Amino acid sequence: MRRSLVPALALGLAALLTACGTADDAGPAPAASASASTVVADPVAAVRQGFDRSLERTAKLDVLITAAGQTITMTSAVEPDTGRMTLHMKTPDPVTVVVTEDAVYIRQDESAGKPWLKLDRDRLRPDGQLAQGLDFRAQAGILGGVVSAERTGDGRYTGVADSEKAIAAASSESQRAMLRRTFKVLKQKSVPFEATLDAEGRLTQLTYTFDTAAGAIRNELKLHSFGEPLAISAPQASETEDATADVYQVF
């Protein structure tokens, strides 16, 4: 696998983990319905629960990260019930990942061998970014630290997330350690955000900016295509090669 794909993939997974969040102490998200009344009354709880509601069925995600004039784009399709997903990322080097129930496939430089690298999910390091990034529901990212939110109309909210509370909301020590590494670049623990929920309380857009010593990092996450069928399948066996022990040490 091209060495450049390792940091690129790690960066993309870190961005997704930081953006995503669970309901935390606001409680589990109620089942969605077609009525606008399903959005909970408390704005903080509504925003916290929005991502969980978005993953009650299949969904697609678009991520745009802008920093120092450079952009990272990611598109992903997720099937929460089975854990299957796809991820296409440009950093600017392209990275493509396909996840099935038992394996992770990473598209690599074809000149170095077969186009796809195969990793067994049960051999991934439990505390690694790849293993943690495969379970979107389990993440406690910036949304886990939402401390204030205010409705501004038409499903839109503005508010502030606290990075320390986001770390505390993580569901495991390995996730807390990952968030500590991510958030240590922040100049202050408060992170303003803007969020949009649809009539069923699902998060459809989240934007926030990290203020760091190296400059601002703007993050934008969009979710859509809820409940639509997804065509996610493993690459042909003839196009894959098994990961070596050295690769598993990274992931």
Side-chain angles (χ1 to χ4, degrees):
M1 181 171 62
R2 280 192 303 168
R3 295 182 63 87
S4 62
L5 293 186
V6 175
L9 180 58
L11 176 61
L13 290 169
L16 288 174
L17 296 182
T18 305
C20 305
T22 62
D24 186 26
D25 56 2
S33 73
S35 171
S37 63
T38 59
V39 180
V40 295
D42 177 35
V44 170
V47 172
R48 284 184 176 180
Q49 294 178 10
F51 191 79
D52 284 341
R53 288 175 177 247
S54 298
L55 293 184
E56 288 175 344
R57 297 184 292 172
T58 59
K60 294 183 179 180
L61 302 87
D62 303 325
V63 178
L64 174 64
I65 302 172
T66 305
Q70 302 294 317
T71 61
I72 298 173
T73 59
M74 289 176 281
T75 60
S76 182
V78 183
E79 195 173 74
D81 289 343
T82 64
R84 300 166 75 92
M85 65 174 287
T86 60
L87 172 65
H88 303 281
M89 178 169 53
K90 189 174 182 181
T91 65
D93 289 330
V95 179
T96 300
V97 180
V98 175
V99 181
T100 64
E101 290 91 337
D102 56 4
V104 179
Y105 300 87
I106 304 174
R107 190 169 184 88
Q108 57 183 348
D109 188 347
E110 295 186 33
S111 65
K114 296 181 179 180
W116 291 92
L117 186 73
K118 177 184 178 183
L119 298 93
D120 296 329
R121 292 184 66 165
D122 59 6
R123 293 185 61 185
L124 298 176
R125 292 190 296 114
D127 61 345
Q129 289 177 328
L130 183 54
Q132 292 183 14
L134 298 181
D135 184 2
F136 277 86
R137 282 197 179 114
Q139 308 313 323
I142 198 65
L143 287 179
V146 171
V147 293
S148 67
E150 179 182 356
R151 291 188 183 88
T152 59
D154 298 328
R156 296 190 301 272
Y157 296 77
T158 61
V160 174
D162 184 301
S163 61
E164 293 182 358
K165 291 185 180 297
I167 293 170
S171 58
S172 71
E173 180 52 42
S174 60
Q175 290 174 8
R176 284 189 285 273
M178 187 280 297
L179 290 176
R180 288 191 192 99
R181 291 193 297 270
T182 302
F183 293 150
K184 71 179 182 180
V185 302
L186 297 180
K187 294 172 64 175
Q188 55 188 22
K189 67 178 184 178
S190 296
V191 180
F193 70 86
E194 296 180 1
T196 303
L197 307 181
D198 67 9
E200 297 183 20
R202 298 176 298 205
L203 182 71
T204 59
Q205 185 164 338
L206 174 68
T207 59
Y208 58 95
T209 299
F210 286 155
D211 185 15
T212 77
I217 303 175
R218 176 178 170 81
N219 302 266
E220 181 175 344
L221 173 70
K222 295 182 179 179
L223 298 100
H224 57 93
S225 305
F226 304 116
E228 294 184 2
L230 302 177
I232 301 175
S233 58
Q236 295 291 326
S238 61
E239 297 183 340
T240 69
E241 62 178 284
D242 293 334
T244 64
D246 290 342
V247 174
Y248 281 107
Q249 288 181 357
V250 176
F251 293 116

